[in-house]
Amino acid sequence: MPNFTKRAIKEAFWKLLAEKPLNRISVREIVEECGVNRNSFYYHFQDIPALLEEIVLDAADMLIQKYPSIETIEQAVEIAYQFTLDNKKAILHICNSVNRDIYEQYFMRICEYVVRTYFDTAFGGAQLDRQEREAVILLVKCEMFGLCIDWINTGMPEEAIVTLKRILSLCSGMIAERLEKRPQNAPKE
């Protein structure tokens, strides 16, 4: 039953991560929490950073599968922030650890997915050349990532979401305005 064991290890680790900092969690604690032996842990994961990487990737994939289309940037922010707030302690423990880069790497992946999906949904019919399209996606992705990281670094105050959604709404408005002002004979993809 490797899938059951692997899932049990992930759930035990996530539970421990919500209780204490990453650097205070040991393989021994994880296996005791889920009732498997150390060999089972090492059969599935090289070490705790590998387990962390897989958990963060799973969370990113879950959000992507759950929301295959995104109508507004505000909706995207709401999805990401609700997940983050629901897992606040665990995410703060990850972000305050030496393995923060793992979280940031996959969080950037989520931001890019959200922006591309939103862009395709909202502006799919717009005639943009590839370079301009990629530049807009890069700008909004980095803006979203930066706003999110700043929010996490300030302790994730719940009231900040209103300001963040407003900033991203302005950004999406700028994209729409830019597309409307585009000359009709502009190069196509």
Side-chain angles (χ1 to χ4, degrees):
M1 292 192 162
N3 288 338
F4 172 78
T5 302
K6 191 172 188 177
R7 185 174 55 241
I9 292 168
K10 289 178 184 181
E11 289 171 1
F13 178 62
W14 194 250
K15 179 179 181 245
L16 290 168
L17 198 53
E19 296 170 0
K20 58 177 139 182
L22 181 61
N23 65 347
R24 296 190 55 221
I25 299 172
S26 67
V27 171
R28 181 185 55 76
E29 288 176 296
I30 296 168
V31 298
E32 285 177 3
E33 180 69 34
C34 66
V36 301
N37 63 41
R38 288 177 70 85
N39 289 339
S40 294
F41 177 91
Y42 288 111
Y43 175 79
H44 295 287
F45 303 101
Q46 181 180 354
D47 52 19
I48 290 177
L51 170 58
L52 175 63
E53 185 172 353
E54 189 162 323
I55 283 178
V56 172
L57 180 60
D58 287 351
D61 288 343
M62 183 269 305
L63 286 173
I64 289 168
Q65 288 176 356
K66 190 172 180 179
Y67 301 97
S69 67
I70 297 167
E71 300 291 324
T72 66
I73 285 288
E74 295 82 3
Q75 176 192 16
V77 170
E78 189 68 42
I79 292 164
Y81 285 120
Q82 193 56 55
F83 175 80
T84 305
L85 286 175
D86 290 346
N87 298 285
K88 185 175 183 174
K89 286 184 179 183
I91 289 172
L92 284 173
H93 286 146
I94 293 168
C95 288
N96 293 323
S97 76
V98 295
N99 298 97
R100 179 185 178 120
D101 61 319
I102 293 170
Y103 177 77
E104 288 182 357
Q105 176 186 357
Y106 289 106
F107 194 67
M108 181 63 89
R109 179 176 173 226
I110 291 170
C111 288
E112 180 165 355
Y113 170 78
V114 164
V115 171
R116 282 189 185 282
T117 303
Y118 162 71
F119 193 90
D120 291 344
T121 302
F123 306 107
Q127 299 296 324
L128 286 175
D129 66 40
R130 189 182 59 74
Q131 288 180 329
E132 187 170 15
R133 179 180 188 277
E134 291 304 312
V136 170
I137 288 171
L138 177 64
L139 172 70
V140 178
K141 171 185 78 170
C142 291
E143 184 175 86
M144 181 182 234
F145 178 80
L147 290 169
C148 294
I149 293 299
D150 182 65
W151 176 64
I152 291 168
N153 288 342
T154 58
M156 295 187 226
E158 291 187 37
E159 64 278 0
I161 194 164
V162 174
T163 303
L164 296 170
K165 286 167 71 173
R166 178 69 184 133
I167 291 168
L168 291 169
S169 175
L170 288 170
C171 186
S172 66
M174 288 186 290
I175 295 169
E177 183 180 325
R178 170 70 178 112
L179 293 173
E180 287 173 13
K181 289 183 177 181
R182 220 172 135 61
Q184 293 299 325
N185 59 353
K188 298 177 181 162
E189 278 189 60

